[in-house]
Amino acid sequence: MNAKEKILVFGGTKGVGRQYVDMAREKLYPASEVLVIARSENLLEDIQSQKESNSIEIKTKSLDISKEHEQEKALEIADEFDPTRVVYFIGGGPFGEFGQKKWSSHDWAYQVNFLFPAKLIHHHLKKNMTTVRQMIFLGSAIAESKADPKSASYSAAKHALLGLMKSVVEEGAFIDLRLFSPGYINTSLMPKADSLRSQGIKVFEPKEVAVELWKWQYEEDQNFHRIFR
Ligand SMILES: NC(=O)c1ccc[n+]([C@@H]2O[C@H](COP(=O)([O-])OP(=O)(O)OC[C@H]3O[C@@H](n4cnc5c(N)ncnc54)[C@H](OP(=O)(O)O)[C@@H]3O)[C@@H](O)[C@H]2O)c1
């Protein structure tokens, strides 16, 4: 069991993030707190309803991080909660040829995969005195360093996140910034798991990814970037 923690989880209601929140419930010292931000009120209530009498406190807040005014609200909530650790699972984007998709869909992908993560890092560094020891973001072993046809805006945003974090880490940021980049995962974000597996391509279950990420967050690591594929 780890020491008392206050973890702010962006996108902890589905996929890897949900597995991470379940692990926090299981593994953290009971006085710890987790605050989960996502959109669906039903999924947030579901997380609350699973609370056991002696488990950690889990708070929730429904916000749509693709919207700039809700991003500002999220920064206020982060300040009030004053976390020791921030873990950001929100991601996604339109699937199809770049020119055929609406600009609003590409804009959504830039907001959730890059612009808000960048704003969140900037906000905590600018504050200078912060209790946040570590901020972890999810990259993509598939999309962040090579072409990902039909996911151009997602790929561009993940490339941008990698570039930003690499540069800020080299500036000597006082927060432990980390990028965890998995391969394919069997979640609703990636509906082709069976077809990929039939081609012999490795597809992780969300729990396998959450277990690896959970371990890594407590390891001393000189490298800010972990590729898991
Ligand atoms: N799945 C893969 O194959 C794969 C591979 C490599 C990397 N990744 C990365 O790993 C991370 C997690 O992926 P996943 O597959 O676990 O995702 P997921 O199952 O789609 O879960 C995404 C989480 O983010 C929340 N969310 C989505 N849009 C939001 C918004 N606009 N505002 C607030 N919350 C929002 C979702 O809840 P609501 O819908 O209720 O808001 C959910 O809790 C992502 O960054 C993804 O890019 C995924």
Side-chain angles (χ1 to χ4, degrees):
M1 195 178 284
N2 297 299
K4 182 179 167 185
E5 286 249 32
K6 284 181 90 179
I7 308 184
L8 175 54
V9 179
F10 286 90
T13 53
K14 289 194 282 200
V16 184
R18 176 57 195 256
Q19 295 295 327
Y20 179 92
V21 170
D22 288 346
M23 290 186 68
R25 204 195 300 271
E26 208 179 282
K27 291 186 178 292
L28 289 180
Y29 180 73
S32 299
E33 290 168 53
V34 172
L35 171 57
V36 179
I37 292 178
R39 289 168 303 183
S40 160
E41 306 253 6
N42 288 347
L43 293 179
L44 291 167
E45 275 166 25
D46 183 56
I47 286 193
Q48 294 274 23
S49 70
Q50 293 192 6
K51 191 174 185 325
E52 287 149 31
S53 55
N54 64 345
S55 82
I56 59 165
E57 183 174 356
I58 299 198
K59 299 174 176 166
T60 58
K61 181 74 190 171
S62 172
L63 286 176
D64 184 345
I65 288 306
S66 68
K67 300 193 162 89
E68 287 187 57
H69 62 280
E70 301 205 20
Q71 295 178 359
E72 293 307 317
K73 183 78 197 155
L75 296 181
E76 281 170 27
I77 288 168
D79 286 349
E80 275 162 35
F81 184 61
D82 206 15
T84 52
R85 194 182 306 274
V86 175
V87 190
Y88 188 94
F89 293 98
I90 301 173
F95 183 75
E97 285 176 27
F98 185 68
Q100 300 306 313
K101 293 286 156 185
K102 288 189 291 192
W103 179 253
S104 57
S105 304
H106 296 311
D107 187 53
W108 188 94
Y110 300 141
Q111 291 295 341
V112 303
N113 295 295
F114 176 64
L115 287 170
F116 183 66
K119 199 183 269 183
L120 193 60
I121 293 171
H122 177 261
H123 181 78
H124 285 93
L125 292 175
K126 187 97 178 33
K127 263 172 48 184
N128 211 12
M129 277 184 59
T130 173
T131 47
V132 179
R133 293 193 302 265
Q134 186 181 64
M135 300 177 84
I136 305 177
F137 294 84
L138 272 282
S140 165
I142 298 121
E144 73 194 5
S145 52
K146 58 183 187 333
D148 192 11
K150 299 206 173 147
S151 298
S153 44
Y154 174 77
S155 174
K158 293 288 189 189
H159 274 70
L161 182 62
L162 173 58
L164 176 89
M165 291 186 68
K166 202 186 282 187
S167 305
V168 174
V169 166
E170 285 202 15
E171 287 171 5
F174 60 88
I175 299 174
D176 179 8
L177 292 176
R178 296 196 182 195
L179 183 66
F180 187 82
S181 300
Y184 292 109
I185 316 164
N186 185 17
T187 69
S188 55
L189 195 67
M190 208 284 301
K192 314 174 285 187
D194 290 343
S195 122
L196 290 171
R197 281 178 173 145
S198 68
Q199 296 167 58
I201 296 170
K202 172 79 186 159
V203 180
F204 292 105
E205 287 305 317
K207 179 142 193 201
E208 295 176 89
V209 179
V211 166
E212 190 65 20
L213 174 55
W214 187 274
K215 271 194 299 180
W216 187 49
Q217 71 186 352
Y218 291 112
E219 285 168 15
E220 294 287 328
D221 197 336
Q222 297 304 312
N223 194 349
F224 83 98
H225 190 197
R226 167 75 61 93
I227 295 172
F228 183 60
R229 67 183 310 176

